[in-house]
């Protein structure tokens, strides 16, 4: 009987040790419980979380300095989750591709705006190599002509 109780307690402890810790809900102590996360990293995580919850692993990796894909994969195997999801390199790559596509779209839009502004300025400006136009002297009036005679 004692062995059965000891086995159950051991299994419960093991289950608790492998329980998922969500980065958006965990305390500093729970984050420190993840192998590889120490007090300084848990402080960085909590400071970034004050700016808003992490949307996904890509957001977590981008906002927390010192965490890359390899580190995120290790944390995930230790039980860390973001919004209940384990780390997936494919999901991060997909999110990065989506972000790159959005950045390219913004860059293209900015380039088009800049080109349109440049073309407008070219139309408004005189060419730099154009010769100045000399004006002919005004014709003398009859009163001026009479006084000169």
């Amino acid at each position: 009987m004692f062995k059965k109780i000891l086995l159950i307690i051991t299994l419960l402890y093991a289950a608790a040790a492998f329980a998922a810790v969500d980065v958006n809900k965990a305390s500093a102590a729970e984050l420190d419980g993840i192998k590889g996360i120490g007090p300084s990293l848990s402080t960085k995580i909590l400071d970034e979380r004050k700016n808003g919850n992490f949307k996904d692993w890509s957001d977590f990796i981008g906002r927390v300095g010192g965490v890359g894909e390899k580190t995120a994969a290790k944390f995930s195997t230790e039980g860390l989750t973001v919004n209940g999801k384990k780390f997936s390199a494919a999901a991060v790559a997909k999110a990065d591709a989506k972000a790159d596509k959005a950045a390219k779209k913004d860059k293209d839009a900015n380039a088009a705006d800049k080109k349109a502004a440049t073309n407008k300025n070219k139309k408004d400006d005189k060419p730099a190599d154009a010769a100045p136009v000399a004006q002919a002297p005004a014709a003398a009036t009859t009163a001026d002509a009479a006084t000169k005679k």
Side-chain angles (χ1 to χ4, degrees), residues 94-144:
K94 184 177 179 182
D96 288 344
K98 187 175 181 181
D100 289 344
K101 185 176 180 181
K104 185 178 185 293
K105 185 176 180 180
D106 289 344
K107 183 179 175 183
D108 291 345
N110 288 339
D113 291 344
K114 188 175 180 180
K115 185 176 180 181
T118 302
N119 287 341
K120 182 180 178 189
N121 289 339
K122 284 181 181 178
K123 289 178 184 177
D124 293 343
D125 293 340
K126 292 180 183 177
D129 58 346
V133 177
Q135 290 187 353
T141 60
T142 54
D144 288 340

Side-chain angles (χ1 to χ4, degrees), residues 53-110:
N53 284 345
F54 298 102
K55 298 173 190 167
D56 52 21
W57 277 99
S58 177
D59 185 33
F60 177 75
I61 291 169
R63 289 172 46 192
V64 179
V67 177
E69 288 190 25
K70 289 181 180 180
T71 309
K74 289 178 187 176
F75 292 162
S76 182
T77 57
E78 293 296 325
L80 189 68
T81 63
V82 177
N83 288 329
K85 296 179 182 175
K86 291 191 174 257
F87 177 78
S88 166
V92 170
K94 184 177 179 182
D96 288 344
K98 187 175 181 181
D100 289 344
K101 185 176 180 181
K104 185 178 185 293
K105 185 176 180 180
D106 289 344
K107 183 179 175 183
D108 291 345
N110 288 339

Side-chain angles (χ1 to χ4, degrees), residues 1-17:
M1 179 74 174
F2 180 71
K3 288 182 181 181
K4 288 182 181 180
I5 292 174
L6 187 59
L7 178 65
I8 291 172
I9 290 173
T10 305
L11 290 175
L12 288 174
Y13 178 74

Side-chain angles (χ1 to χ4, degrees), residues 26-34 42 46:
S27 66
E30 290 171 326
L31 290 171
D32 286 344
I34 300 292
S42 64
L46 293 176

